[in-house]
Amino acid sequence: MSTAYLFPGQGSQFVGMGRPFFENSQAARTIFEQADELLGFSLSTLCFEGPEEALTNTANQQPALFVTSIAALMAMREQADKWPPADFVAGHSLGEFSALVAAGSLSFADGLKLVQRRGELMKQAGEQQPGAMAAILALSLEQVETICTQASQEANAPVQIANDNCPGQIVISGDASALEKAMQLAEASGARKVIRLPISVAAHSALMATAAGAFSQLVDETPIQPPQIPIIGNVSARPLRSVDEIRAELKAQLTSAVRWTDSMNYLCEQGVDTVIEIGAGNVLLNLMKRINRQVTRIKFELDTE
């Protein structure tokens, strides 16, 4: 048996997330309490009680998801005898920071500082250059790449692939006019569904360049250790083996696509037969079902008996 721990990103949040860990695990409670202290406001109350509008604000959403994932991870480690250890870790976009903590590369406090700043910078970039995102279903990666190139040329503005989530589910991101054009082209090319996402931040696109520039300095200043467990990077879909590779990944990630399908296929090629999703929701398990049905998919939940 070979196991990978997977950590979710934005879109997995919901009001009430993390509460079972807080109530049933001392280690998880400590994480939430540390986060509240470090941030200077009650993130735990926001996670457990909302309001939803405040929780989905990207500046709050990113630390909230990160803290929930790490609280879950610490709760899992309290019950280590009941769970297989990780042979690999991976996180979807924001989830990569949780994976870095799990791999021993980042401390919880440093990770929280990074994701809080990342959320703020992405929000600012979105206000300076409003963008949009859309999900395209049932077209190939090559078809969507061609559509983005054509739409960018016709609109004279950027739109690109943001997430290759699983076969038949691709998210695009960029300038609103170029995205609108790409959505029309996708429908004309026979996409089963084209859904504009309720988000004004063009994540993983060229419109995040200002955020990436400011974020890089913080990444350079943050203490990072070599990973103790192989971590698969979103940008390369390969293991990040050194501190330099991790820093380069975190800088590139804001403007580059999340190659999730390739990342999961790489894990399967390495013999991973079990994935455990740690954090809010089960989005990544559903994606794995579309990528490789043979892989055993487990949602981490506390055994409270």
Side-chain angles (χ1 to χ4, degrees):
M1 180 177 177
S2 181
T3 304
Y5 291 175
L6 306 181
F7 297 91
Q10 285 177 269
S12 294
Q13 74 285 341
F14 59 91
V15 173
M17 67 180 187
R19 193 194 281 270
F21 304 126
F22 181 88
E23 291 176 347
N24 296 291
S25 160
Q26 184 52 54
R29 181 185 288 260
T30 299
I31 289 293
F32 276 108
E33 287 170 349
Q34 279 179 1
D36 290 352
E37 193 175 326
L38 289 164
L39 293 170
F41 72 95
S42 184
L43 182 78
S44 54
T45 302
L46 185 60
C47 289
F48 306 156
E49 299 172 16
E52 189 172 356
E53 190 182 343
L55 184 61
T56 52
N57 177 323
T58 192
N60 293 328
Q61 188 185 43
Q62 297 200 33
L65 282 162
F66 171 76
V67 170
T68 299
S69 284
I70 301 306
L73 177 69
M74 295 308 162
M76 187 188 209
R77 286 180 177 171
E78 273 188 328
Q79 298 186 345
D81 56 323
K82 297 178 179 174
W83 296 92
D87 298 294
F88 295 89
V89 293
H92 190 287
S93 186
L94 166 74
E96 194 157 62
F97 293 85
S98 308
L100 284 165
V101 173
S105 289
L106 264 182
S107 71
F108 169 66
D110 287 331
L112 181 57
K113 190 173 164 187
L114 281 172
V115 298
Q116 182 192 24
R117 191 68 187 126
R118 182 180 186 267
E120 289 169 354
L121 288 167
M122 286 177 71
K123 186 169 185 281
Q124 285 168 18
E127 287 163 354
Q128 288 162 10
Q129 283 189 288
M133 299 180 76
I136 297 175
L137 305 186
L139 291 184
S140 71
L141 192 63
E142 292 72 27
Q143 282 175 299
V144 179
E145 279 175 344
T146 301
I147 284 166
C148 285
T149 301
Q150 187 181 335
S152 297
Q153 287 168 351
E154 290 184 18
N156 196 27
V159 63
Q160 66 195 75
I161 291 173
N163 306 330
D164 172 16
N165 284 331
C166 65
Q169 189 191 114
I170 295 165
V171 175
I172 60 173
S173 177
D175 174 84
S177 61
L179 185 108
E180 197 62 48
K181 187 71 195 166
M183 289 171 71
Q184 292 165 9
L185 291 168
E187 283 170 352
S189 299
R192 192 172 76 236
K193 221 171 190 180
V194 179
I195 310 150
R196 186 158 174 160
L197 303 178
I199 189 165
S200 62
V201 174
H204 302 290
S205 83
L207 297 191
M208 287 292 112
T210 55
F215 189 61
S216 339
Q217 189 179 346
L218 185 58
V219 168
D220 284 335
E221 292 165 358
T222 302
I224 296 176
Q225 308 303 320
Q228 295 160 13
I229 306 165
I231 172 168
I232 310 307
N234 286 184
V235 178
S236 64
R238 289 292 180 271
L240 305 172
R241 302 187 187 279
S242 68
V243 171
D244 285 347
E245 284 182 3
I246 291 169
R247 289 194 201 281
E249 163 78 19
L250 294 181
K251 292 173 189 180
Q253 200 214 48
L254 279 172
T255 54
S256 304
V258 175
R259 294 173 57 196
W260 194 251
T261 303
D262 289 344
S263 297
M264 294 303 98
N265 282 331
Y266 177 83
L267 288 177
C268 296
E269 287 161 14
Q270 304 312 303
V272 168
D273 53 19
T274 304
V275 294
I276 304 176
E277 185 163 0
I278 302 172
N282 59 358
V283 167
L284 302 181
L285 299 184
N286 291 334
L287 295 182
M288 182 54 98
K289 187 177 180 181
R290 298 282 302 275
I291 294 165
N292 188 329
R293 281 180 174 272
Q294 309 309 308
V295 174
T296 301
R297 303 175 302 277
I298 300 168
K299 173 68 189 167
F300 168 66
E301 287 172 343
L302 267 177
D303 182 353
T304 54
E305 289 178 13

